[in-house]
Amino acid sequence: MSEEIKEVAKLQSVNALRKTMDEYFLRLSTAAETGNKKIAWCTSVGPAELLYSMGFEVYFPENHGAMLGASKLADKYIPTAVAHGYSPDICSYLTADIGAFLQNETPLQKNGFKSVPKPDILVYNTNQCHEVGDWFMYYAKHFNVPILGVNTPLWINELTPSIINGIANQFKDLVPELEKVAIQKFDLEKFRETVHLSHEGCVLWRKVLETAKHKPSPINFFDSAIHMGPIVVMRGTQYAVDYYKILLTELEERIKNNISSIPNEKLRLYWDGMPLWYKLSSMSKLFAHHDTCVVASTYCNSWVFDDLDPKDPFESSAIAYCKLFIVRSDDAKQNVLEKLMTDFSIDGIIYHDAKTCARNSNNRFGLQNRLNEKNKIPYLEINGDLCDSRCYSEEQSIIAIETFIKQLSTRK
């Protein structure tokens, strides 16, 4: 890059985000220290609503993995997990998280934690991948606590009644097992209320992301990856709803006053796949320098569960968690991407092929070619990883991205 610096406009809501996340971790640490509430560990697209409705504080190891990546500590911990028999080719959230645990270290120590909060129960959903089951099993054995799972079929093309009913029944089967651990019994009305809050939070999150349809966009992918924290860990709570009202108001004000995320938006890109957590800031600056805004992504859209319906909380939960992009067939994914390309006026697509996350790398079975044949939108593939920075060549990627942007500029 030349010495000219083009700053990304900072969102003022980041202060409210920090407060919201700090209070979430305070509730968790209080539960861990005092036992005033039971603690459930949950996968990031697991049944958080059910757990919150039964009075659990909910901890998400994938959020911890992302924190390790963003704080550039994952490389320190992954070798420890590998030395204990975990392959460097499996999910680097998993290996970073278990490696940090084995070294008795965590970024949460800044939030007053001595270690990650001890679980009373672990609950996973395989809708994102099957590795989460192995991940949670490690901790279930270590802490000698129960583990429950929802096993979702992968590569879903059509959401049939048998799939939806099967998953809804698995959700229902969790209830009596959770009641053996929970302080409070299952209450259907409380569950409806939690699903209602989750739906409200997801709708707000969708509206936040959709502000990027505006030209110029008031938000970029790299900011969204940070501000998605509450919808991941507080889905089903008033805390998430309150935060996204603040963020949405700021973005709508930006649109009203024609304030853009980057100073001089000329190109609009789509990011497919996982973030490079250890390069969020530098990537954001790189694209801003080239007057290019990454306006939408597969990753951030993954937490829009607006099919949740308090009138039928179990069935609607099954629909919402089976509709998730990552669990769908390539044909279904292509339909989603085609719509997003149009809705967000996309000039080009970047596919991040994450070495340790095949499920979230959508360029391995020809989808990128089929989509290009249909909509003629150019694309670029870069190799990297979500947490393991050793899989990423910054020099090669910057050259490829800058060349791609130059090519796109000639088409405008």
Side-chain angles (χ1 to χ4, degrees), residues 6 30 60 77 87 93 104 112 137 183 223 233 258 287 298 300 317 339 354 359 378 391 400 411:
K6 298 177 181 177
T30 300
F60 297 82
Y77 301 129
S87 168
Y93 276 174
N104 195 29
M137 185 59 73
I183 293 175
D223 281 337
V233 302
N258 202 35
F287 286 103
T298 305
C300 293
S317 293
K339 185 174 188 310
R359 292 292 309 166
C391 304
R411 293 165 53 98

Side-chain angles (χ1 to χ4, degrees), residues 233-253:
V233 302
M234 284 172 266
R235 200 169 59 254
T237 72
Q238 188 66 46
Y239 308 112
V241 171
D242 291 344
Y243 174 66
Y244 288 116
K245 286 180 178 176
I246 294 171
L247 178 58
L248 182 60
T249 298
E250 181 180 1
L251 295 173
E252 289 173 341
E253 278 296 311

Side-chain angles (χ1 to χ4, degrees), residues 284-333:
S284 178
K285 292 174 183 174
L286 171 67
F287 286 103
H289 177 76
H290 291 286
D291 302 328
T292 299
C293 189
V294 182
V295 295
S297 69
T298 305
Y299 191 67
C300 293
N301 273 292
S302 294
W303 276 267
V304 178
F305 300 112
D306 49 6
D307 284 291
L308 289 167
D309 184 352
K311 294 177 183 174
D312 195 342
F314 284 107
E315 181 173 319
S316 68
S317 293
I319 293 171
Y321 287 110
C322 287
K323 232 178 178 180
L324 184 69
F325 185 88
I326 192 173
V327 79
R328 307 305 300 276
S329 69
D330 269 14
D331 285 347
K333 287 179 178 178

Side-chain angles (χ1 to χ4, degrees), residues 81-93:
V82 173
H84 282 73
Y86 289 88
S87 168
D89 294 329
I90 63 173
C91 172
S92 58
Y93 276 174

Side-chain angles (χ1 to χ4, degrees), residues 272-288:
D272 182 81
M274 301 289 287
L276 297 148
W277 284 112
Y278 42 89
K279 289 293 175 187
L280 277 189
S281 177
S282 61
M283 276 281 180
S284 178
K285 292 174 183 174
L286 171 67
F287 286 103

Side-chain angles (χ1 to χ4, degrees), residues 3 70 169 225 251 260 280 284 351 367 410:
E3 293 183 356
N169 286 333
L251 295 173
S260 58
L280 277 189
S284 178
Y351 291 92
L367 174 59
T410 64

